[in-house]
Amino acid sequence: MKKRIVIGLAVLLVVGFTAWTQWPRNGGNGALVLYGNVDIREVQLGFRVAGRLEQMNFEEGDTVAAGTVMATLDSKPMRDGLALAEARVAEAQARLALLRTGSRPQEIEQARARVSEAAAALKNAEKEYERQRELTGKGLSSQGLLDNALAQRDEASARLAASREALALAVEGARAEDIAAAEAALAGARAQREQAATQLQDTELKAPNNGVVLTRVREPGAILGTGMPVYTLSLTDTVYVRAYVDE
């Protein structure tokens, strides 16, 4: 029994001494030393719109903060596009307001006056036709004059019908379909304005995160296509370390 205890103690001493001698140290303080790599994340920065490069604000090795404007494009074409889009919105708004408001009282009165005028003209044309018909029946007028009087009467009747339709439209106002079409046109104009505003904002290239400029790819004056790299940025938030640990 005593022999087994002695042997067990000897084994424990050997294992403990081995672990103590093999455990990695750093300056004798017992700290664990690991070996590995620091993973650097990079991002290629470019504009979402094409244009002429106007300004580059950083050099290689510079540190930038998230949201910093790193480069800009010539914004005049985008500003002109936004002004045009705003004008189209104003035009669409005016068109919709006109349809919703309907005809003015003065316009309705003018339509009524045209109806009265057309009715009077038809009355005169009918009298002339009746007179020519009586004269033709008595042999005192030609068939040509009778036909001409009939044509004038029919023409006056058509003008009266058109005047009455115009008056009805003026009183009733725009149709619901016309108003819906104008509302859709206004919505489309506003969407184009938002698109133009976004393109103007995209003339500024901003840092997506804190980082360090690794490469400056372009110089002012260059004509850029959509997405062409301008900077290569090394991100400093967050940094990852790949280490190797023994079992």
Side-chain angles (χ1 to χ4, degrees):
M1 184 66 180
K2 291 182 180 180
K3 184 177 181 181
R4 292 181 180 178
I5 295 175
V6 172
I7 295 174
L9 291 175
V11 171
L12 289 175
L13 288 173
V14 172
V15 171
F17 178 78
T18 302
W20 179 78
T21 56
Q22 295 297 324
W23 189 263
R25 287 169 175 76
N26 184 10
N29 58 4
L32 179 63
V33 178
L34 301 177
Y35 299 92
N37 300 311
V38 177
D39 291 339
I40 299 176
R41 295 183 299 163
E42 299 178 0
V43 59
Q44 300 286 335
L45 301 181
F47 293 93
R48 292 200 303 180
V49 294
R52 181 177 62 84
L53 185 58
E54 187 173 66
Q55 190 173 0
M56 296 283 285
N57 299 329
F58 292 92
E59 300 290 341
E60 295 180 356
D62 290 345
T63 300
V64 297
T68 303
V69 177
M70 301 185 64
T72 58
L73 295 177
D74 180 12
S75 62
K76 187 178 185 306
M78 283 66 177
R79 287 186 278 110
D80 293 342
L82 180 58
L84 178 60
E86 289 176 344
R88 289 176 176 172
V89 169
E91 180 183 3
Q93 287 175 336
R95 172 65 178 169
L96 179 58
L98 178 63
L99 292 176
R100 286 176 173 173
T101 302
S103 301
R104 293 176 295 180
Q106 298 87 341
E107 294 173 339
I108 295 176
E109 290 302 322
Q110 288 179 353
R112 286 199 176 101
R114 284 191 289 268
V115 170
S116 299
E117 181 182 356
L122 175 60
K123 186 176 181 180
N124 292 333
E126 287 176 343
K127 288 181 178 181
E128 179 63 20
Y129 171 72
E130 291 298 332
R131 190 177 70 85
Q132 288 294 333
R133 190 162 64 91
E134 291 179 0
L135 292 176
T136 301
K138 295 178 181 181
L140 301 177
S141 182
S142 64
Q143 184 64 36
L145 292 176
L146 178 62
D147 293 340
N148 185 50
L150 177 61
Q152 290 181 353
R153 188 199 68 176
D154 293 341
E155 182 179 353
S157 178
R159 284 199 298 268
L160 177 59
S163 299
R164 286 173 175 170
E165 289 294 332
L167 175 59
L169 291 175
V171 172
E172 182 180 356
R175 295 178 301 177
E177 295 82 357
D178 294 335
I179 294 178
E183 290 174 345
L186 177 58
R190 285 173 173 167
Q192 290 179 345
R193 181 181 62 183
E194 293 298 324
Q195 184 181 39
T198 300
Q199 290 179 345
L200 179 60
Q201 293 176 356
D202 287 341
T203 58
E204 292 185 345
L205 179 62
K206 297 182 179 180
N209 204 340
N210 299 332
V212 178
V213 177
L214 293 182
T215 55
R216 173 172 164 150
V217 184
R218 306 288 176 180
E219 293 299 328
I223 303 300
L224 304 178
T226 303
M228 292 181 63
V230 176
Y231 282 110
T232 301
L233 186 66
S234 173
L235 304 183
T236 56
D237 298 331
T238 302
V239 176
Y240 293 93
V241 175
R242 189 192 306 273
Y244 303 92
V245 183
D246 293 336
E247 294 183 2

